[in-house]
Amino acid sequence: MAEVDEAAEYWDARKFFEQFGPRIMDPTTALRGAVSNEDLQARVVIAGQCLLDGADVTRVFGSERVSVVHVLLGQLSHDFEREPELLREILIAGADVNGVSTRWGTPLQTLAGTAKFTDEELAPFYDVFFARPDLDLLKRGYRGWSTLEMVRRNGPRRAGLLARVEQYLTERGIVLPERDV
C-alpha cells in the first residue's frame, strides 16, 4: 500500500479516494503531496478534501522551512481558475502568508520567481495575496530581499506585480523605500 503523501502526489483523485477516502486520516501529510500533484484536477480536489478534514496548514517541512503554500505556488503548471480559491482557503485555514522559506523566500516571492508565467497569468493568485490585510511586502525573504526589492530587480517582467506592490504599500501609508538596485 502506498503512503498517503505519495498517493496524493501521484494518483488521480478517483484512485486516491478509493484507497484513502472519503475521510483522509492524515490530511496534513496528504496535503503536502496533493499540492504538488501534476494532475491539476486531483491537486485541487485532494487538497480541498485535506482542508475539510483538518489539515494543519501551519506546518513547515525540512530545514528550508517550506510550507504547502510554497509547494503549491512553486509548481510549473496551474489551474488558474480553481487554484487561487484553494490558496485562499489554505491562507484562511492559517497558513502564514508571509512565511519565509530559506529556499524560496515568502510565498509571493515564490510565485513571482516562477519565470514560466506572466503577470497576467498569475493575476488570480495576486488577487488572493493583495486581498489580505496582513501581507508584509517589506519582510526579508529570498536572498535577504523584501518582496518589493525582489520585484524591482525583476524589471519589466514583473512590472504589473511591481505596480500592485507599490499601490498596496502606498494605500496603507507606507513610504516606499528608495531603490537599492
Side-chain angles (χ1 to χ4, degrees):
M1 182 163 109
E3 297 293 325
V4 69
D5 57 334
E6 184 177 299
E9 182 173 355
Y10 295 109
W11 294 0
D12 64 38
R14 180 195 55 76
K15 183 176 179 182
F16 178 83
F17 288 112
E18 283 175 0
Q19 183 74 38
F20 295 100
R23 189 168 193 314
I24 303 167
M25 297 311 295
D26 185 359
T28 302
T29 302
L31 180 60
R32 169 63 178 83
V35 293
S36 59
N37 193 317
E38 290 183 13
D39 177 332
L40 299 181
Q41 179 179 353
R43 181 184 299 168
V44 172
V45 171
I46 297 169
Q49 188 60 49
C50 291
L51 292 175
L52 290 173
D53 290 343
D56 178 4
V57 297
T58 65
R59 187 166 170 209
V60 293
F61 303 91
S63 61
E64 294 179 331
R65 304 197 45 79
V66 175
S67 72
V68 293
V69 178
H70 291 103
V71 175
L72 174 65
L73 299 176
Q75 297 304 305
L76 297 178
S77 63
H78 288 290
D79 179 335
F80 292 105
E81 292 180 16
R82 295 172 63 196
E83 282 184 53
E85 179 61 22
L86 175 62
L87 171 63
R88 187 177 76 73
E89 292 299 322
I90 291 171
L91 293 172
I92 288 171
D96 187 351
V97 70
N98 302 304
V100 176
S101 162
T102 58
R103 179 176 184 183
W104 289 323
T106 67
L108 186 54
Q109 287 177 327
T110 302
L111 187 64
T114 308
K116 179 179 179 180
F117 304 110
T118 66
D119 277 343
E120 292 76 24
E121 291 171 307
L122 295 175
F125 287 112
Y126 294 166
D127 292 344
V128 173
F129 281 105
F130 290 107
R132 302 280 305 194
D134 56 344
L135 183 61
D136 184 348
L137 299 167
L138 300 179
K139 183 174 187 175
R140 301 282 171 203
Y142 181 73
R143 293 190 177 178
W145 301 331
S146 70
T147 300
L148 173 62
E149 290 171 297
M150 179 186 172
V151 175
R152 283 177 171 171
R153 290 172 186 264
N154 276 294
R157 188 171 68 82
R158 290 287 177 240
L161 178 57
L162 177 59
R164 290 183 79 165
V165 167
E166 290 177 342
Q167 178 182 359
Y168 184 93
L169 293 169
T170 302
E171 287 175 351
R172 282 152 183 79
I174 300 170
V175 177
L176 297 176
E178 293 293 319
R179 287 183 173 262
D180 63 349
V181 183

